[in-house]
Amino acid sequence: MKIGLAPTNSDYGPATADMAVEAEQRGYDSLWVGEHSHIPASRETVHPDGGELPEFYWHMRDPFVSLATAAAATSNIKLAMGVCLVLEHEILDLAKSVATLDEVSEGRLLFGVGVGWNREELANVSDVPWAQRYNAMRETVAALRVLWAEHEAAYSGEFVNFAPARVYPKPAQQPGPPVLVGCRGRIGMRHVAEYADGWCPLDVGFRDVRVGVERFRTAAEAAGRNPDAIPISMYCYASPDAEKLELYGSLGAERVVLGAPDGGDRLARFLDRYQPLVDAFAD
């Protein structure tokens, strides 16, 4: 099994490059960073897990800059966005940023995408209606794939439109980096089944992970795809242990991503505590 590491990547934690080097040396196959360009100061949207919003949400570093520094400091570890909030970006600029990161990392990028959970955050930067966010993400991913593959690309849709344009560089991975969709609900699963190269859910988002994975497999089959051909990278925030990793592996996860706490001391203790787990399970 592949084991990934997902630190909070906050500005009060270790440098992303240092974190990537340590993760690579410890046997992790991938380093995952999230994205929030901002957190609205006045917010009605409740965090999906309830309770107060953790401080690191508004202290996250930029994922593109962060992973670029990690790419320069490492040689083998995969560099993953978990996830990029694609609807908060201008499409042509996003295509260039993703392709550049894949190029400078020599094809090590895993491009996780998502729609986010914060209505006010999306409304601050986009005109996409909240109820249409998944449809808009579908178009965004389709447009990105055209831009990455074609010398002169154009796209005409309901949410994404641009005239013929030349956007370079192209990604090192062709026809583009793997697109992994982060979601846990039925609508999101249908989108994963339709067009994603992988699925990266959070285990704490399910009452029963077994039921969640079975729903995903059903969605994939309904879309005419083999669910075994859609890799699962399962985020593990529910107290990682050998039993959970064995369960997720039995359910078809090719990778488990360990969600790490913020802060240098807490993170260091986490890495030491779970090193035996990595040693036992990592490919």
Side-chain angles (χ1 to χ4, degrees):
M1 174 179 287
K2 300 172 184 176
I3 309 293
L5 180 67
T8 61
N9 198 35
S10 59
D11 58 9
Y12 51 80
T16 315
D18 294 342
M19 191 70 262
V21 169
E22 182 162 9
E24 186 172 68
Q25 293 174 345
R26 285 176 175 267
Y28 289 91
D29 97 295
S30 51
L31 183 78
W32 297 65
V33 301
E35 176 180 42
H36 284 282
S37 63
H38 70 292
I39 295 295
S42 177
R43 178 174 55 84
E44 295 182 4
T45 307
V46 177
H47 186 266
D49 296 329
E52 292 295 322
L53 188 67
E55 183 180 6
F56 71 81
Y57 271 91
W58 59 87
H59 280 274
M60 286 184 182
R61 299 182 177 106
D62 177 86
F64 291 98
V65 177
S66 297
L67 292 181
T69 65
T74 58
S75 56
N76 296 311
I77 194 168
K78 297 284 187 180
L79 306 171
M81 289 196 174
V83 293
C84 176
L85 302 178
V86 293
L87 301 184
E88 299 185 17
H89 293 268
E90 190 279 321
I91 186 68
L92 299 176
D93 184 63
L94 179 61
K96 179 180 285 288
S97 295
V98 174
T100 299
L101 182 53
D102 195 57
E103 182 209 19
V104 301
S105 67
E106 298 181 324
R108 287 187 281 148
L109 178 62
L110 300 174
F111 187 48
V113 303
V115 296
W117 54 267
N118 191 325
R119 290 173 180 253
E120 290 81 11
E121 181 179 354
L122 179 61
N124 276 353
V125 296
S126 172
D127 294 328
V128 172
W130 184 251
Q132 293 295 318
R133 63 196 186 280
Y134 274 103
N135 292 330
M137 184 168 69
R138 177 201 290 115
E139 283 193 8
T140 299
V141 170
L144 287 171
R145 285 170 165 161
V146 171
L147 287 162
W148 293 333
E150 298 182 8
H151 170 61
E152 202 166 81
Y155 194 89
S156 178
E158 182 179 355
F159 304 99
V160 180
N161 292 276
F162 52 85
R166 299 174 183 178
V167 177
Y168 279 79
K170 301 303 183 187
Q173 300 177 85
Q174 278 294 315
V179 176
L180 287 63
V181 174
C183 64
R184 61 185 179 185
R186 294 178 185 270
I187 294 175
M189 288 183 192
R190 289 201 297 269
H191 282 257
V192 175
E194 179 185 344
Y195 64 81
D197 299 312
W199 183 39
C200 50
L202 279 65
D203 61 355
V204 293
F206 302 106
R207 290 184 179 180
D208 187 328
V209 173
R210 298 175 185 84
V211 174
V213 172
E214 187 57 37
R215 287 176 179 167
F216 163 71
R217 295 181 63 85
T218 298
E221 290 170 350
R225 297 181 67 185
N226 177 3
D228 294 329
I230 306 175
I232 301 174
S233 294
M234 180 70 71
Y235 269 86
C236 184
Y237 282 99
S239 301
D241 57 32
E243 184 178 357
K244 280 193 176 65
L245 267 61
E246 289 173 353
L247 169 63
Y248 297 163
S250 72
L251 294 175
E254 74 160 19
R255 176 185 292 109
V256 171
V257 182
L258 304 185
D262 56 355
D265 292 340
R266 293 180 65 207
L267 179 57
R269 291 195 296 271
F270 177 93
L271 292 173
D272 288 341
R273 178 182 178 185
Y274 290 109
Q275 189 59 45
L277 204 60
V278 176
D279 293 340
F281 280 86
D283 285 344

